[in-house]
Amino acid sequence: MDIEQPKHHHQELETAENTAMLVRIPPWTGDESTCRVSDRAVSGHRFPDEKEGCVMRGAQRSAIVGVVLILLMGMPAEAGNTPGVKTIRIDCARGDSINQALADKADKLMIEIDGTCQEDVVIARDDVTLLGLGSNATVVAQNNQAIYIDRSSRVTLENLTVTGSTNPDITGAGIFVFQSSGVVILNVQAEGNWEGMRTYGSSIRIVDSDFCNNSRGGLHLANGSSVIVDGEEISASGNGASGLLLSESALRSPWPPGPRVLANDNGSDGVIIQGGATLFMGGPLEAKRNGWIGVRMVAGILDSQWGLDVSDNDVGVYAGGPNAEVNVRGENTSVSNNTVGLYADEGAYIGFNGILVQNSGAAVTAEGTGRVYLSSADCHDNGSGVVVHGGTAYIWASTIQNNTNGDVNLSFGARVSFAGANTVGVVSCDATVLVEGPVTCPETKGETASPSLMERVGLPGLLSSDYPASEWLP
């Protein structure tokens, strides 16, 4: 383990031939001393994005760190000093230990990591940065969490791969953040764990990081955690069960536009929101090709101002329960190739302003006391268009036509309002429905008490009463 004189590895540097463009990542204290070289522009060169989803930006990471080191080599040693920050460089191939370095008594500590370290790292102090050098800096768990941040403040993990936490419980999170504040996760890949990262009552900023290919879940935010995502892309894809799980927590993406958030190709659900959690998206959200549901709303709010793509799932968006609310607007919205596109039940609310729904078995459904709002929607080439079976719907300036089994099907006490310039094809109603607006019911049949849509399409067990709080994912 080499202990160096304090260095400011993130200082703005210039030479006659080369200028590195920096983006400041201010810590939660407002101190601007922590910066990083932007992967968007180094010496005028834009690094191309890697494969979508779960590939760590290793080439970008090594290139960026390499540029910084090259520039530093040409500078006088005293030019890089940062008063009060002690830098310790460890080489894991040489047997150095991150935990041993963390025992240093310096007020502010920078630990630079080279190689693969196999240990359960515990951070139980303030003002620490773990910085991976190059693209191969890896922390492999030994028995429990690979990295456990325990009641600490101003902790940064940067340029690291975190893996090997496989216990099927809370100790199986690659990164576990417990009652900590001002935590920054920057260019981190958490893969090959039971869960990629789990938080408990913490404030965190996540920048350009991936939580993919874990056996259970990708990113689990719980128990009052508050998280901001930033940068260009956050991915929670390819996990065994869920991608992004919010329970009694809040996640916010800045607007406009925030980073693209991916929750694709997970074994069960892309996004789960429960326990009154809030997901506010100022950038695009994708939840595609998941084994069951793109976005599952049990209790909480999803508000997306930059669109939502929930294609190629069994169910695109499911909201069940009186405390489940979905509001989506924006041009980047698609609900296609699902067995069921949008499904609101048991008092839940789903509202879309600008949406394309096509090639789904049932496009939009409100059942029980479910509520649906559609504005400027385009719903065509589905098995059925809008189905309201005991629920309510408000449809404004939308096109609903060319659906195989009818365009608007109303039954079992449905209440529907049409406003604006709608284009609606075939409408069918039973004798119990109420319709207002320019669209009328040309066909009235006797009252129907048909089974729920989920039973009809063979996807039972979605009712929130079948998914009580006692059965929330822990």
Side-chain angles (χ1 to χ4, degrees), residues 62-410:
S62 57
I64 293 166
V65 174
V67 169
V68 174
L69 294 176
I70 290 170
L71 293 174
L72 284 169
M73 290 171 62
M75 297 290 292
E78 61 272 12
N81 287 345
T82 302
V85 178
K86 184 175 184 178
T87 298
I88 301 176
R89 180 173 298 180
I90 68 169
D91 183 350
C92 296
R94 235 173 31 180
D96 293 344
S97 166
I98 300 174
N99 283 317
Q100 183 179 349
L102 285 167
D104 192 278
K105 301 300 183 183
D107 290 338
K108 297 182 179 180
L109 193 59
M110 167 82 73
I111 301 175
E112 298 178 339
I113 302 168
D114 187 18
T116 298
C117 300
Q118 186 164 3
E119 57 182 311
D120 297 337
V121 176
V122 178
I123 300 175
R125 51 157 294 164
D126 300 338
D127 299 301
V128 174
T129 295
L130 302 187
L131 173 65
L133 301 178
S135 60
N136 66 339
T138 302
V139 180
V140 181
Q142 192 168 31
N143 296 304
N144 296 304
Q145 299 100 342
I147 299 178
Y148 176 23
I149 302 174
D150 182 14
R151 288 166 286 197
S152 301
S153 298
R154 298 176 299 280
V155 173
T156 296
L157 307 181
E158 181 175 357
N159 295 339
L160 292 172
T161 295
V162 181
T163 188
S165 298
T166 57
N167 293 339
D169 54 33
I170 197 169
T171 64
I175 303 169
F176 181 48
V177 186
F178 179 74
Q179 293 184 352
S180 297
S181 63
V183 175
V184 177
I185 309 295
L186 171 60
N187 285 343
V188 169
Q189 183 176 16
E191 63 175 10
N193 306 285
W194 190 62
E195 288 183 331
M197 183 168 84
R198 179 185 285 226
T199 70
Y200 186 106
S202 298
S203 61
I204 304 170
R205 186 178 187 186
I206 302 174
V207 184
D208 290 330
S209 295
D210 297 330
F211 309 89
C212 302
N213 301 321
N214 299 283
S215 62
R216 192 224 195 190
L219 183 56
H220 184 170
L221 311 177
N223 298 86
S225 292
S226 176
V227 177
I228 294 176
V229 294
D230 211 339
E232 294 185 357
E233 182 177 289
I234 308 295
S235 183
S237 300
N239 298 287
S242 62
L244 173 61
L245 170 58
L246 279 74
S247 183
E248 302 173 318
S249 296
L251 185 149
R252 182 171 67 87
S253 167
W255 182 88
R260 185 169 65 152
V261 175
L262 308 179
N264 301 328
D265 303 298
N266 296 287
S268 179
D269 301 338
V271 178
I272 300 174
I273 299 176
Q274 63 186 28
T278 300
L279 174 57
F280 179 86
M281 289 297 304
L285 174 62
E286 290 184 12
K288 303 190 299 184
R289 301 181 303 274
N290 295 285
W292 196 4
I293 302 173
V295 175
R296 178 199 288 267
M297 297 291 304
V298 180
I301 297 174
L302 166 61
D303 191 298
S304 178
Q305 301 189 32
W306 208 258
L308 172 67
D309 190 343
V310 284
S311 301
D312 301 294
N313 306 284
D314 275 345
V315 181
V317 175
Y318 165 74
N323 297 315
E325 180 177 332
V326 178
N327 291 286
V328 177
R329 50 205 171 276
E331 299 177 357
N332 306 302
T333 300
S334 177
V335 184
S336 301
N337 303 314
N338 301 289
T339 304
V340 178
L342 307 178
Y343 184 79
D345 194 23
E346 298 189 311
Y349 172 83
I350 295 178
F352 275 73
N353 185 350
I355 182 177
L356 171 64
V357 187
Q358 62 181 359
N359 300 326
S360 294
V364 181
T365 299
E367 289 201 320
T369 53
R371 299 166 293 153
V372 169
Y373 172 89
L374 298 176
S375 173
S376 302
D378 184 0
C379 179
H380 63 85
D381 296 319
N382 302 283
S384 59
V386 176
V387 177
V388 185
H389 182 72
T392 62
Y394 182 91
I395 301 171
W396 185 85
S398 296
T399 299
I400 307 169
Q401 60 184 3
N402 299 325
N403 297 286
T404 303
N405 299 316
D407 299 304
V408 176
N409 299 305
L410 310 178

